[in-house]
Amino acid sequence: MTVVISLPRQLFSIASVHPRSSWLRTMHDQWLDEQFTASGISGGINVVRKCDAVSLFLHGMPHAPADRVLEAALMASMAFAIDDLFETGPQVELNSYLAVAHADGAAIDRNADLVIFARAMERARQAIGPRLYARTLKSLEKWANSTATANAAVSSWDGIDDYLKRRWVDAGFGGVRVVVEYCAGVDLTDLEESSLLDDLHTACFEHSVLVNDLFSYRKEKQAGYGMNAVSVLTDTEGMTLQSAVDTVCSRIAAAEEAFAEQVRLFTHNDPNAHADIARYVHGWRDALAGNIAWALTSPRFNGHRLPLNSSLPTHMVLHPSHTTYRYP
Protein backbone atom coordinates (compact mmCIF):
# COMPACT_ATOMS: atom_id res chain seq x y z
CA MET A 1 0.00 0.00 0.00
CA THR A 2 1.30 3.45 -0.89
CA VAL A 3 0.39 6.71 0.84
CA VAL A 4 1.39 10.26 0.03
CA ILE A 5 3.29 12.03 2.78
CA SER A 6 3.75 15.79 2.92
CA LEU A 7 6.08 16.96 5.67
CA PRO A 8 7.56 20.38 6.47
CA ARG A 9 11.18 20.71 5.37
CA GLN A 10 12.61 23.47 7.51
CA LEU A 11 13.78 21.33 10.43
CA PHE A 12 14.80 18.40 8.26
CA SER A 13 17.10 20.71 6.30
CA ILE A 14 19.42 21.02 9.32
CA ALA A 15 19.55 17.28 10.08
CA SER A 16 23.08 15.92 10.38
CA VAL A 17 25.01 13.17 12.12
CA HIS A 18 27.47 13.41 14.98
CA PRO A 19 31.07 13.70 13.73
CA ARG A 20 32.17 11.01 16.19
CA SER A 21 29.43 8.57 15.26
CA SER A 22 31.77 5.60 14.71
CA TRP A 23 33.38 6.05 18.13
CA LEU A 24 30.01 6.53 19.81
CA ARG A 25 28.50 3.41 18.27
CA THR A 26 31.57 1.36 19.18
CA MET A 27 31.64 2.54 22.80
CA HIS A 28 27.87 2.09 23.16
CA ASP A 29 27.95 -1.48 21.86
CA GLN A 30 31.13 -2.35 23.73
CA TRP A 31 29.81 -1.35 27.15
CA LEU A 32 26.50 -3.15 26.69
CA ASP A 33 28.15 -6.23 25.22
CA GLU A 34 30.42 -6.41 28.27
CA GLN A 35 27.39 -6.30 30.55
CA PHE A 36 25.56 -9.01 28.63
CA THR A 37 28.62 -11.24 28.50
CA ALA A 38 29.28 -10.86 32.22
CA SER A 39 25.65 -11.73 32.95
CA GLY A 40 25.64 -14.77 30.65
CA ILE A 41 23.05 -13.39 28.20
CA SER A 42 23.97 -14.65 24.75
CA GLY A 43 23.06 -12.33 21.90
CA GLY A 44 21.77 -9.60 24.17
CA ILE A 45 23.55 -6.89 22.25
CA ASN A 46 21.64 -7.89 19.11
CA VAL A 47 18.36 -7.22 20.90
CA VAL A 48 19.54 -3.73 21.84
CA ARG A 49 20.77 -3.08 18.31
CA LYS A 50 17.27 -3.79 17.00
CA CYS A 51 16.00 -0.95 19.21
CA ASP A 52 18.50 1.31 17.40
CA ALA A 53 18.48 3.98 20.11
CA VAL A 54 22.11 4.88 19.49
CA SER A 55 21.30 5.94 15.92
CA LEU A 56 18.59 8.24 17.24
CA PHE A 57 21.20 10.14 19.23
CA LEU A 58 23.78 10.18 16.46
CA HIS A 59 21.17 12.04 14.40
CA GLY A 60 19.48 13.89 17.25
CA MET A 61 22.45 15.33 19.14
CA PRO A 62 25.00 16.08 16.39
CA HIS A 63 26.55 19.07 18.19
CA ALA A 64 26.58 17.79 21.77
CA PRO A 65 29.78 16.59 23.48
CA ALA A 66 30.42 12.97 22.53
CA ASP A 67 30.65 11.78 26.14
CA ARG A 68 27.19 13.15 26.89
CA VAL A 69 25.72 11.65 23.72
CA LEU A 70 27.14 8.27 24.76
CA GLU A 71 25.50 8.42 28.19
CA ALA A 72 22.19 9.54 26.67
CA ALA A 73 22.29 6.73 24.10
CA LEU A 74 22.91 4.11 26.79
CA MET A 75 19.99 5.44 28.82
CA ALA A 76 17.76 5.39 25.75
CA SER A 77 18.81 1.85 24.83
CA MET A 78 17.70 0.64 28.24
CA ALA A 79 14.42 2.56 27.96
CA PHE A 80 13.67 1.25 24.46
CA ALA A 81 14.46 -2.34 25.43
CA ILE A 82 12.22 -2.19 28.49
CA ASP A 83 9.43 -0.52 26.55
CA ASP A 84 9.53 -3.30 23.95
CA LEU A 85 9.75 -5.96 26.65
CA PHE A 86 6.79 -4.73 28.65
CA GLU A 87 4.32 -3.66 25.99
CA THR A 88 2.40 -6.79 26.93
CA GLY A 89 4.40 -7.90 29.98
CA PRO A 90 3.27 -8.28 33.58
CA GLN A 91 3.13 -5.15 35.74
CA VAL A 92 4.67 -6.96 38.72
CA GLU A 93 7.90 -7.56 36.83
CA LEU A 94 8.00 -3.96 35.69
CA ASN A 95 7.81 -2.95 39.33
CA SER A 96 11.00 -4.92 39.91
CA TYR A 97 12.75 -2.63 37.45
CA LEU A 98 11.41 0.43 39.25
CA ALA A 99 12.69 -0.95 42.54
CA VAL A 100 16.15 -1.38 41.04
CA ALA A 101 16.12 2.18 39.69
CA HIS A 102 15.30 3.53 43.15
CA ALA A 103 17.98 1.44 44.81
CA ASP A 104 20.77 3.50 43.22
CA GLY A 105 21.87 0.60 41.09
CA ALA A 106 21.64 -2.22 43.64
CA ALA A 107 20.19 -5.33 41.97
CA ILE A 108 17.47 -6.95 44.06
CA ASP A 109 17.82 -10.53 42.81
CA ARG A 110 19.84 -12.66 40.42
CA ASN A 111 17.81 -11.87 37.33
CA ALA A 112 20.44 -11.09 34.68
CA ASP A 113 18.28 -8.48 32.95
CA LEU A 114 17.77 -6.66 36.24
CA VAL A 115 21.49 -6.73 36.97
CA ILE A 116 22.27 -5.08 33.63
CA PHE A 117 19.51 -2.54 34.15
CA ALA A 118 20.88 -1.77 37.61
CA ARG A 119 24.36 -1.13 36.22
CA ALA A 120 22.97 1.08 33.48
CA MET A 121 20.92 3.11 35.96
CA GLU A 122 23.89 3.53 38.26
CA ARG A 123 25.96 4.75 35.33
CA ALA A 124 23.19 7.19 34.41
CA ARG A 125 22.93 8.47 37.98
CA GLN A 126 26.65 9.13 38.11
CA ALA A 127 26.62 10.85 34.71
CA ILE A 128 23.63 13.17 34.94
CA GLY A 129 23.69 14.02 38.65
CA PRO A 130 21.06 13.80 41.41
CA ARG A 131 18.61 16.44 40.20
CA LEU A 132 18.27 15.18 36.65
CA TYR A 133 18.30 11.57 37.86
CA ALA A 134 15.42 12.28 40.27
CA ARG A 135 13.40 13.66 37.35
CA THR A 136 14.30 10.60 35.26
CA LEU A 137 12.90 8.37 38.00
CA LYS A 138 9.72 10.45 38.15
CA SER A 139 9.20 10.05 34.40
CA LEU A 140 9.93 6.32 34.62
CA GLU A 141 7.31 5.90 37.33
CA LYS A 142 4.68 7.78 35.36
CA TRP A 143 5.43 5.66 32.31
CA ALA A 144 5.17 2.46 34.35
CA ASN A 145 1.80 3.51 35.77
CA SER A 146 0.55 4.17 32.23
CA THR A 147 1.41 0.72 30.89
CA ALA A 148 -1.66 -0.95 32.36
CA THR A 149 -3.88 0.91 29.89
CA ALA A 150 -1.30 1.65 27.21
CA ASN A 151 -2.86 -0.63 24.63
CA ALA A 152 -6.48 -0.02 25.48
CA ALA A 153 -9.02 -0.31 22.71
CA VAL A 154 -8.80 2.74 20.49
CA SER A 155 -12.58 3.01 20.63
CA SER A 156 -12.13 4.39 24.17
CA TRP A 157 -10.27 7.45 22.84
CA ASP A 158 -12.09 10.60 21.88
CA GLY A 159 -10.04 11.47 18.82
CA ILE A 160 -6.45 12.52 18.33
CA ASP A 161 -6.35 15.23 21.01
CA ASP A 162 -7.40 12.78 23.68
CA TYR A 163 -4.85 10.32 22.33
CA LEU A 164 -2.06 12.91 22.57
CA LYS A 165 -2.96 13.71 26.19
CA ARG A 166 -2.51 10.04 27.07
CA ARG A 167 0.68 9.78 25.08
CA TRP A 168 2.29 12.63 27.03
CA VAL A 169 2.90 10.20 29.89
CA ASP A 170 3.19 6.99 27.88
CA ALA A 171 5.95 8.46 25.70
CA GLY A 172 8.07 9.33 28.74
CA PHE A 173 8.32 12.96 27.69
CA GLY A 174 9.63 14.03 31.08
CA GLY A 175 12.61 11.76 30.57
CA VAL A 176 13.14 13.09 27.06
CA ARG A 177 13.30 16.62 28.47
CA VAL A 178 16.03 15.49 30.88
CA VAL A 179 18.09 14.00 28.06
CA VAL A 180 17.85 17.15 25.93
CA GLU A 181 18.90 19.28 28.90
CA TYR A 182 21.81 16.97 29.70
CA CYS A 183 23.12 16.93 26.14
CA ALA A 184 22.71 20.72 25.92
CA GLY A 185 24.70 21.09 29.16
CA VAL A 186 21.92 22.75 31.14
CA ASP A 187 19.75 21.93 34.14
CA LEU A 188 16.28 23.48 34.03
CA THR A 189 14.90 21.61 37.04
CA ASP A 190 13.92 24.91 38.65
CA LEU A 191 11.62 25.53 35.66
CA GLU A 192 10.15 22.01 35.65
CA GLU A 193 6.77 23.16 36.96
CA SER A 194 6.90 26.61 35.34
CA SER A 195 4.55 27.53 32.51
CA LEU A 196 7.35 29.44 30.75
CA LEU A 197 8.23 26.49 28.51
CA ASP A 198 4.77 24.95 28.13
CA ASP A 199 4.23 26.04 24.52
CA LEU A 200 7.72 24.93 23.56
CA HIS A 201 7.20 21.52 25.12
CA THR A 202 3.78 21.06 23.52
CA ALA A 203 5.26 21.74 20.08
CA CYS A 204 8.23 19.43 20.69
CA PHE A 205 6.08 16.65 22.07
CA GLU A 206 3.53 16.67 19.26
CA HIS A 207 6.20 16.91 16.57
CA SER A 208 8.30 14.04 17.92
CA VAL A 209 5.42 11.71 18.76
CA LEU A 210 3.55 12.24 15.49
CA VAL A 211 6.70 11.79 13.38
CA ASN A 212 7.31 8.49 15.15
CA ASP A 213 3.68 7.44 14.78
CA LEU A 214 3.70 8.18 11.06
CA PHE A 215 6.78 6.12 10.30
CA SER A 216 6.07 3.32 12.78
CA TYR A 217 2.46 2.81 11.62
CA ARG A 218 3.20 -0.29 9.50
CA LYS A 219 5.18 -2.00 12.27
CA GLU A 220 2.66 -1.21 15.00
CA LYS A 221 -0.39 -2.06 12.90
CA GLN A 222 1.03 -5.50 12.19
CA ALA A 223 1.79 -6.00 15.88
CA GLY A 224 -1.77 -5.03 16.83
CA TYR A 225 -0.46 -2.11 18.88
CA GLY A 226 -3.11 0.59 18.90
CA MET A 227 -1.10 3.44 20.42
CA ASN A 228 -0.58 5.22 17.13
CA ALA A 229 -2.13 8.45 15.87
CA VAL A 230 -2.79 7.06 12.39
CA SER A 231 -4.67 4.09 13.84
CA VAL A 232 -6.65 6.35 16.16
CA LEU A 233 -7.82 8.44 13.21
CA THR A 234 -8.78 5.46 11.05
CA ASP A 235 -10.45 3.52 13.86
CA THR A 236 -12.23 6.25 15.84
CA GLU A 237 -13.03 8.80 13.14
CA GLY A 238 -13.54 6.47 10.19
CA MET A 239 -10.85 8.11 8.08
CA THR A 240 -9.20 6.37 5.18
CA LEU A 241 -5.52 5.63 5.67
CA GLN A 242 -4.57 8.47 3.32
CA SER A 243 -6.81 10.96 5.13
CA ALA A 244 -5.36 9.90 8.47
CA VAL A 245 -1.81 10.32 7.16
CA ASP A 246 -2.74 13.73 5.75
CA THR A 247 -4.07 14.77 9.15
CA VAL A 248 -0.97 13.58 10.96
CA CYS A 249 1.27 15.39 8.48
CA SER A 250 -0.75 18.58 8.95
CA ARG A 251 -0.37 18.30 12.72
CA ILE A 252 3.38 17.81 12.33
CA ALA A 253 3.54 20.93 10.15
CA ALA A 254 1.56 22.93 12.73
CA ALA A 255 3.86 21.73 15.52
CA GLU A 256 6.90 22.73 13.48
CA GLU A 257 5.47 26.22 12.96
CA ALA A 258 4.74 26.50 16.67
CA PHE A 259 8.28 25.39 17.46
CA ALA A 260 9.72 27.99 15.07
CA GLU A 261 7.78 30.66 16.95
CA GLN A 262 9.28 29.45 20.23
CA VAL A 263 12.76 29.62 18.70
CA ARG A 264 12.12 33.25 17.77
CA LEU A 265 10.80 33.98 21.24
CA PHE A 266 13.69 32.53 23.18
CA THR A 267 16.66 33.10 20.87
CA HIS A 268 15.81 36.03 18.58
CA ASN A 269 13.01 38.23 19.84
CA ASP A 270 14.15 38.39 23.45
CA PRO A 271 17.80 39.40 23.78
CA ASN A 272 17.54 39.02 27.56
CA ALA A 273 16.44 35.37 27.40
CA HIS A 274 18.39 33.14 29.74
CA ALA A 275 21.35 31.55 27.98
CA ASP A 276 20.46 28.12 29.36
CA ILE A 277 17.03 28.26 27.76
CA ALA A 278 18.53 29.32 24.44
CA ARG A 279 20.89 26.31 24.52
CA TYR A 280 17.96 24.08 25.44
CA VAL A 281 15.88 25.36 22.51
CA HIS A 282 18.76 24.70 20.11
CA GLY A 283 19.08 21.22 21.60
CA TRP A 284 15.44 20.57 20.78
CA ARG A 285 15.91 21.91 17.25
CA ASP A 286 18.62 19.31 16.65
CA ALA A 287 16.59 16.59 18.35
CA LEU A 288 13.46 17.16 16.25
CA ALA A 289 15.41 17.31 13.01
CA GLY A 290 17.36 14.20 13.94
CA ASN A 291 14.21 12.34 14.88
CA ILE A 292 12.90 12.71 11.32
CA ALA A 293 16.21 11.51 9.87
CA TRP A 294 16.30 8.57 12.26
CA ALA A 295 12.71 7.54 11.57
CA LEU A 296 13.39 7.52 7.83
CA THR A 297 16.47 5.33 8.13
CA SER A 298 16.04 3.14 11.20
CA PRO A 299 15.40 -0.61 10.89
CA ARG A 300 13.26 -0.26 14.03
CA PHE A 301 10.54 1.32 11.89
CA ASN A 302 11.42 0.30 8.36
CA GLY A 303 12.36 -3.36 8.70
CA HIS A 304 15.89 -2.70 7.50
CA ARG A 305 18.30 0.23 7.55
CA LEU A 306 17.78 2.75 4.76
CA PRO A 307 20.19 5.42 3.51
CA LEU A 308 19.39 9.01 4.35
CA ASN A 309 18.32 11.00 1.31
CA SER A 310 19.01 14.72 1.07
CA SER A 311 15.31 15.41 0.59
CA LEU A 312 12.12 14.23 2.24
CA PRO A 313 10.13 11.46 0.55
CA THR A 314 6.85 12.13 -1.20
CA HIS A 315 5.41 8.63 -0.70
CA MET A 316 5.64 5.90 1.93
CA VAL A 317 5.25 2.36 0.60
CA LEU A 318 4.04 -0.18 3.16
CA HIS A 319 5.14 -3.74 2.46
CA PRO A 320 4.27 -6.73 4.68
CA SER A 321 7.77 -6.87 6.20
CA HIS A 322 9.29 -3.47 5.53
CA THR A 323 8.78 0.13 4.46
CA THR A 324 10.27 1.93 1.48
CA TYR A 325 10.02 5.53 0.26
CA ARG A 326 9.72 7.39 -3.01
CA TYR A 327 11.62 10.63 -3.48
CA PRO A 328 11.09 13.57 -5.82
Side-chain angles (χ1 to χ4, degrees):
M1 183 176 295
T2 301
V3 291
V4 177
I5 52 176
S6 179
L7 292 171
R9 301 175 183 276
Q10 183 173 353
L11 274 174
F12 179 76
S13 67
I14 68 164
S16 59
V17 67
H18 200 283
R20 299 190 65 189
S21 58
S22 295
W23 178 85
L24 282 164
R25 191 181 296 278
T26 297
M27 296 303 294
H28 170 274
D29 287 0
Q30 179 179 307
W31 188 84
L32 286 171
D33 198 28
E34 288 173 355
Q35 309 312 309
F36 287 120
T37 300
S39 300
I41 300 178
S42 176
I45 188 62
N46 293 325
V47 175
V48 173
R49 283 177 181 147
K50 287 181 65 177
C51 296
D52 200 36
V54 65
S55 294
L56 172 59
F57 284 87
L58 298 182
H59 285 295
M61 301 294 172
H63 304 114
D67 59 337
R68 289 181 178 255
V69 177
L70 175 61
E71 300 303 330
L74 287 169
M75 291 169 60
S77 287
M78 288 293 99
F80 276 35
I82 292 171
D83 184 56
D84 287 353
L85 183 63
F86 289 107
E87 278 184 358
T88 58
Q91 182 74 17
V92 62
E93 193 170 354
L94 179 55
N95 288 336
S96 297
Y97 282 80
L98 291 176
V100 167
H102 278 282
D104 290 341
I108 59 175
D109 60 22
R110 297 182 180 180
N111 182 302
D113 289 332
L114 283 173
V115 170
I116 295 172
F117 179 69
R119 292 171 181 164
M121 293 303 291
E122 173 62 14
R123 176 167 179 153
R125 187 179 68 86
Q126 294 289 340
I128 68 177
R131 287 181 15 132
L132 293 183
Y133 188 76
R135 288 169 55 197
T136 301
L137 289 182
K138 186 190 300 183
S139 178
L140 184 63
E141 288 174 344
K142 289 181 178 179
W143 170 79
N145 291 332
S146 75
T147 58
T149 58
N151 206 21
V154 294
S155 59
S156 67
W157 297 328
D158 186 18
I160 192 169
D161 289 319
D162 182 43
Y163 163 77
L164 287 169
K165 288 179 183 177
R166 300 192 186 203
R167 284 289 280 153
W168 186 276
V169 173
D170 176 77
F173 189 69
V176 178
R177 287 172 54 179
V178 167
V179 169
V180 175
E181 288 177 39
Y182 173 68
C183 287
V186 301
D187 181 345
L188 302 181
T189 300
D190 292 339
L191 295 176
E192 185 182 11
E193 305 301 330
S194 168
S195 62
L196 178 65
L197 301 176
D198 282 356
D199 290 342
L200 172 72
H201 288 145
T202 297
C204 293
F205 165 75
E206 291 201 8
H207 193 282
S208 57
V209 166
L210 292 176
V211 164
N212 286 1
D213 280 5
L214 176 65
F215 293 113
S216 66
Y217 168 74
R218 178 199 58 81
K219 167 182 172 283
E220 293 178 347
K221 184 68 173 179
Q222 286 187 337
Y225 189 56
M227 292 288 282
N228 184 288
V230 178
S231 293
V232 170
L233 289 167
T234 58
D235 295 347
T236 69
E237 300 190 22
M239 289 188 180
T240 64
L241 177 57
Q242 183 62 65
S243 294
V245 167
D246 290 343
T247 299
V248 169
C249 288
S250 294
R251 293 288 293 251
I252 292 170
E256 192 156 311
E257 289 180 5
F259 176 75
E261 178 58 32
Q262 293 301 301
V263 172
R264 288 190 289 271
L265 174 65
F266 287 116
T267 66
H268 297 150
N269 294 350
D270 184 0
N272 298 315
H274 197 286
D276 283 357
I277 296 179
R279 287 200 297 272
Y280 179 59
V281 171
H282 283 298
W284 266 114
R285 183 188 62 179
D286 287 340
L288 296 178
N291 187 47
I292 302 171
W294 176 68
L296 282 167
T297 59
S298 176
R300 179 176 177 85
F301 292 161
N302 300 307
H304 52 84
R305 189 172 299 283
L306 297 172
L308 182 62
N309 198 289
S310 60
S311 61
L312 285 170
T314 57
H315 296 75
M316 181 167 62
V317 186
L318 310 176
H319 303 273
S321 61
H322 64 282
T323 304
T324 58
Y325 301 98
R326 294 179 187 166
Y327 290 86

